[in-house]
Amino acid sequence: MTPPDILVRNVTAVTVDAERRVIERAWIAVTGDRISAIGSEGDAEPADAREIIDCNGMVAMPGLIDSHSHAGHGLVRNAGAGLDTWFDACEEIYARGSTPAFWRAEARMTQLERLRGGITTGMTLLGGGADIYRTDDPAFGDAHSGATAEAGLRTFMTVGPGRPPFPRSYRHFSETGQSNDVTVTFERQLEVSEILIDRWNDVLGRGTGVCLVMPVYYAAQVADPDARRQVVEMGEAVMDLRRRKDVLFTQDGHRDGSIALARDLGVLGEFALLGHSVDLTEDDFAALKETGASIIHNPSAIMSVYGRCPVPELIEAGINVCLGSDAAAPDRGYDMFRHMAQCMHYHRRHFRDPAYLPPGKTLEMATIDAARAMGLERELGSLEVGKKADIVLVDMRKPHLYPPVMPVTRIAHFANAADVDTVIVNGKVLMRGRKTDHLDADNILADAAEQAALAFERVGLTHLLEEPQDFWRNARQPLPAS
């Protein structure tokens, strides 16, 4: 055997391979950007590895995959006391208060948080909240993807048109702080999306993929024939671009019949990942089985409070379901271990049965099932020879992860992002001993604080950064909406 570049040894390997093997005292060889060999205690280790990582007491697992999140949210994660206020702040800041520097600062901070939590691949909408996507100019997407490339992780930046009416208004700022409002058409947003695809769509190489998005529509919104015609034409244009560039497609916020409508509008297929997807109908289930689209479950999201994504029922019906964080706001973060635990408790409480969604299946949703949803199951999502070397080492030598038995249960139920010790992506060690030498954490955090403050100041919303006394009210008294 050719000497590997990296030898991970003396580790418990949770492979998530076809046999779902858990190999005690395993070793994993990495050559270039691929896993070149995996062995157990009885197999001879390859000699002369350039770098050896001895993992006594650690678990090796596939890199976690976050299938749904929003760029920008990290810098508005604590704005306002109520949900309506927070959504309004997102819309104002994303469309009228943000600059390329804002999107770059947020992406750098997000990638640092993801790296420290063992997330090696993510899908991130360039905006959101109220369907505000910064596809008015390529500079915003360039800033985001540039930060992704710098961090070394894989991210599908998701871009596309917002919601009618068009043209939409966005605000641009010069280097001296002068601003001017511009109107942006649907056609311009698609043009910018295509430019960004051509520049950045290389998720298995540079780590910067691009995915398309368009808003979710509900039956009442297309009841008028003219409105339906407009949505159909928009969908046809987005799907034409998707086919020409062979990229993924996602939507944010499906519920109560909207998946069946999306099928009828012609925007579903195996290339589609559908976020949230709560309170689904029989027609929605039929549309998913017919088209092969995947569901992204966001158990920690507010939409999972308003409705329920029927994950066990979807899996039973043969529909692929993966897991997403829904980003770092307004009340959650990028800790996918937290979202795995939340997922299990969420559905067990619904059925009043602790047998639902066992730990192994939940781990699959954040690894191999997510890779399958992205069409990358032959490259990512498990520890197997020939796959990309995206490997996470979790330090299990901690009181909350003991005694040292049942590693899958400990990972899914008890681990958290701070337990991640080492992260390898594309065969490169990006974090070891929780140190990220290629990223200046102090600079990243200082830049994030500065850009967030500037954005709130530009739109006159600095008062939303003061924690209100309402946070101390009686638990039975809901927080005000605004």
Side-chain angles (χ1 to χ4, degrees), residues 237-427:
V238 172
M239 288 297 103
D240 176 68
L241 178 57
R242 193 212 69 76
R243 283 188 294 270
R244 286 193 290 109
K245 299 299 180 180
D246 191 24
V247 295
L248 296 171
F249 173 74
T250 192
Q251 289 187 295
D252 178 23
H254 274 289
R255 69 180 306 160
D256 193 20
S258 64
I259 292 177
L261 176 59
R263 173 202 57 196
D264 297 342
L265 295 173
V267 298
L268 295 192
E270 292 184 354
F271 52 79
L273 300 83
L274 309 179
H276 298 290
S277 303
V278 302
D279 299 338
L280 301 185
T281 66
E282 290 185 9
D283 285 344
D284 290 328
F285 271 72
L288 290 165
K289 296 188 71 172
E290 177 186 330
T291 62
S294 293
I295 293 297
I296 310 166
H297 180 36
N298 307 104
S300 305
I302 289 171
M303 200 163 180
S304 287
V305 176
Y306 292 150
R308 175 179 169 267
C309 179
V311 170
E313 299 95 317
L314 288 163
I315 294 171
E316 183 68 22
I319 296 160
N320 188 51
V321 184
C322 53
L323 205 60
S325 67
D326 202 30
D331 58 354
R332 53 194 173 267
Y334 284 107
D335 187 341
M336 291 297 290
F337 297 94
R338 166 186 171 179
H339 300 309
M340 283 190 280
Q342 175 85 345
C343 178
M344 289 184 285
H345 287 288
Y346 184 90
H347 298 284
R348 292 171 182 181
R349 174 62 184 86
H350 174 79
F351 288 103
R352 292 173 170 80
D353 186 341
Y356 273 83
L357 278 181
K361 183 59 201 174
T362 310
L363 178 59
E364 290 174 7
M365 291 168 63
T367 53
I368 192 64
D369 293 342
R372 184 174 298 111
M374 295 174 178
L376 296 173
E377 68 272 24
R378 295 183 179 181
E379 299 280 353
L380 308 175
S382 60
L383 303 181
E384 299 183 71
V385 173
K387 284 196 171 185
K388 288 283 193 176
D390 289 10
I391 305 168
V392 169
L393 303 179
V394 182
D395 184 358
M396 309 295 281
R397 298 165 296 183
K398 297 183 177 182
H400 64 282
L401 294 173
Y402 255 59
V405 296
M406 300 176 65
V408 175
T409 295
R410 287 189 287 154
I411 286 289
H413 275 295
F414 307 120
N416 61 65
D419 297 322
V420 174
D421 178 89
T422 299
V423 177
I424 302 170
V425 181
N426 245 6

Side-chain angles (χ1 to χ4, degrees), residues 43-276:
D43 302 316
E45 294 181 355
D48 301 323
R50 180 177 57 83
E51 181 175 3
I52 295 176
I53 303 176
D54 198 293
C55 303
N56 183 36
M58 294 192 191
V59 162
M61 59 182 287
L64 292 167
I65 300 175
D66 180 0
S67 300
H68 179 83
S69 66
H70 296 263
H73 280 18
L75 299 190
V76 295
R77 74 170 85 204
N78 52 358
L83 185 59
D84 291 342
T85 303
W86 181 79
F87 272 114
D88 290 344
C90 285
E91 181 168 355
E92 278 295 304
I93 288 172
Y94 293 173
R96 288 171 282 280
S98 64
T99 64
F102 170 93
W103 297 98
R104 173 173 169 74
E106 197 277 344
R108 293 175 73 209
M109 186 180 72
T110 289
Q111 296 300 73
L112 179 61
E113 183 177 350
R114 280 178 159 165
L115 175 56
R116 289 184 171 180
I119 298 172
T120 58
T121 302
M123 181 169 283
T124 302
L125 283 67
L126 192 65
D131 290 316
I132 300 295
Y133 302 112
R134 284 316 301 247
T135 45
D136 50 304
D137 189 287
F140 302 98
D142 289 342
H144 175 88
S145 288
T148 290
E150 175 187 301
L153 303 183
R154 307 183 196 278
T155 298
F156 284 96
M157 175 179 63
T158 300
V159 294
R163 191 177 297 277
F166 292 104
R168 299 187 67 97
S169 177
Y170 289 88
R171 183 164 296 164
H172 289 188
F173 293 86
S174 69
E175 292 184 1
T176 60
Q178 299 299 310
S179 66
N180 67 294
D181 290 346
V182 297
T183 55
V184 181
T185 64
F186 171 83
E187 291 77 14
R188 174 58 178 167
Q189 289 195 291
L190 274 195
E191 178 187 2
V192 169
S193 298
E194 183 167 1
I195 291 170
L196 293 170
I197 291 170
D198 290 340
R199 287 181 183 173
W200 295 105
N201 192 33
D202 183 22
V203 76
L204 293 177
R206 288 186 295 169
T208 56
V210 182
C211 172
L212 285 171
V213 68
M214 68 175 286
V216 170
Y217 288 92
Y218 307 101
Q221 295 172 320
V222 295
D224 177 78
D226 288 336
R228 187 181 183 94
R229 187 180 309 109
Q230 182 184 29
V231 172
V232 168
E233 291 173 354
M234 289 171 54
E236 289 174 345
V238 172
M239 288 297 103
D240 176 68
L241 178 57
R242 193 212 69 76
R243 283 188 294 270
R244 286 193 290 109
K245 299 299 180 180
D246 191 24
V247 295
L248 296 171
F249 173 74
T250 192
Q251 289 187 295
D252 178 23
H254 274 289
R255 69 180 306 160
D256 193 20
S258 64
I259 292 177
L261 176 59
R263 173 202 57 196
D264 297 342
L265 295 173
V267 298
L268 295 192
E270 292 184 354
F271 52 79
L273 300 83
L274 309 179
H276 298 290

Side-chain angles (χ1 to χ4, degrees), residues 30-53:
V30 175
T31 304
D33 63 352
R34 302 276 173 177
I35 297 173
S36 53
I38 299 177
S40 59
E41 186 178 29
D43 302 316
E45 294 181 355
D48 301 323
R50 180 177 57 83
E51 181 175 3
I52 295 176
I53 303 176

